[in-house]
Amino acid sequence: MDYFEFYGLPVSFNPDAAEVKKQFYALSKKYHPDFYINESVEKQDEVLELSTLNNKAYQVLGNPQKLLPYVLELKGLVTEGEHYTLPQDFLMEMMDVNEALMDLQFDPDAEKLAAQVKEIDAIEAGMQAELTTLKDAFDTSGSADDLLKIKDLYYRTKYLYRIRESLAKIKA
């Protein structure tokens, strides 16, 4: 059972936070293991499983970083170990950024580093703005085209995260 179904909510990149919390607390009470102490071992195991499912659902549905890949996986667009091919123009842009970061590792320059951070921040802000727009559009229309664009941005942000890790090593 998927987390949205478990909570009785529609699949969304922006689930109603109050409703998610409400469902979590209601199901936490309903499936609290202490209420089933006198039940059979099978029933106790079932309740423990449902309680665990409730906790996992709340952790995912309440966290946008976990929710995005979860919805994409639920829709069959992201699979573990997938080798997604990013667009060539994005890869070329990231190659330039990576080269600039490598240069900064060998020849530190605070001014160039600040400029690089500013450029990375701008790229990330643009991607996040586009992602927000697409997630809102999907929640309204359920468009498969929007999902494919969201998937692409998801992988781009993962790539950018690795660049941020490289940047953190340079700053250290």
Side-chain angles (χ1 to χ4, degrees):
M1 175 181 296
D2 76 64
Y3 300 150
F4 290 103
E5 184 180 333
F6 186 64
Y7 277 11
L9 299 172
V11 175
S12 169
F13 286 104
N14 302 295
D16 181 340
E19 189 60 31
V20 168
K21 192 176 220 178
K22 177 182 164 188
Q23 291 298 326
F24 171 71
Y25 285 123
L27 294 173
S28 290
K29 289 177 187 175
K30 182 177 179 179
Y31 298 125
H32 197 285
D34 289 350
F35 296 138
Y36 297 87
I37 197 107
N38 294 323
E39 297 288 335
S40 67
V41 172
E42 292 82 17
K43 183 67 174 177
Q44 288 179 22
D45 288 345
E46 177 188 338
V47 167
L48 185 59
E49 189 176 309
L50 290 168
S51 178
T52 301
L53 178 63
N54 185 40
N55 287 323
K56 288 180 181 178
Y58 186 68
Q59 289 172 1
V60 170
L61 298 181
N63 181 329
Q65 272 64 44
K66 292 180 180 180
L67 181 60
L68 178 67
Y70 178 74
V71 172
L72 291 172
E73 187 176 309
L74 195 61
K75 293 293 186 176
L77 291 173
V78 171
T79 56
E80 193 173 319
E82 177 180 13
H83 296 290
Y84 183 74
T85 303
L86 290 163
Q88 197 64 31
D89 61 332
F90 176 76
L91 291 173
M92 294 302 288
E93 182 180 16
M94 292 302 103
M95 188 173 75
D96 292 342
V97 170
N98 276 318
E99 285 177 4
L101 292 177
M102 281 193 302
D103 289 346
L104 286 167
Q105 283 179 325
F106 296 111
D107 187 18
D109 181 321
E111 195 173 302
K112 286 181 182 177
L113 179 60
Q116 201 60 49
V117 168
K118 190 174 181 178
E119 180 181 346
I120 293 168
D121 288 346
I123 293 168
E124 184 175 35
M127 289 189 330
Q128 287 302 322
E130 186 178 357
L131 192 54
T132 298
T133 301
L134 287 167
K135 290 190 307 186
D136 291 345
F138 173 79
D139 286 351
T140 303
S141 70
S143 166
D145 188 48
D146 288 337
L147 273 178
L148 291 174
K149 292 175 184 173
I150 290 168
K151 175 183 178 176
D152 182 69
L153 282 165
Y154 167 67
Y155 280 107
R156 288 179 194 222
T157 57
K158 283 181 71 167
Y159 192 99
L160 196 60
Y161 179 77
R162 289 192 299 273
I163 288 177
R164 285 231 181 255
E165 288 177 331
S166 297
L167 186 61
K169 291 175 186 173
I170 294 170
K171 287 181 172 182

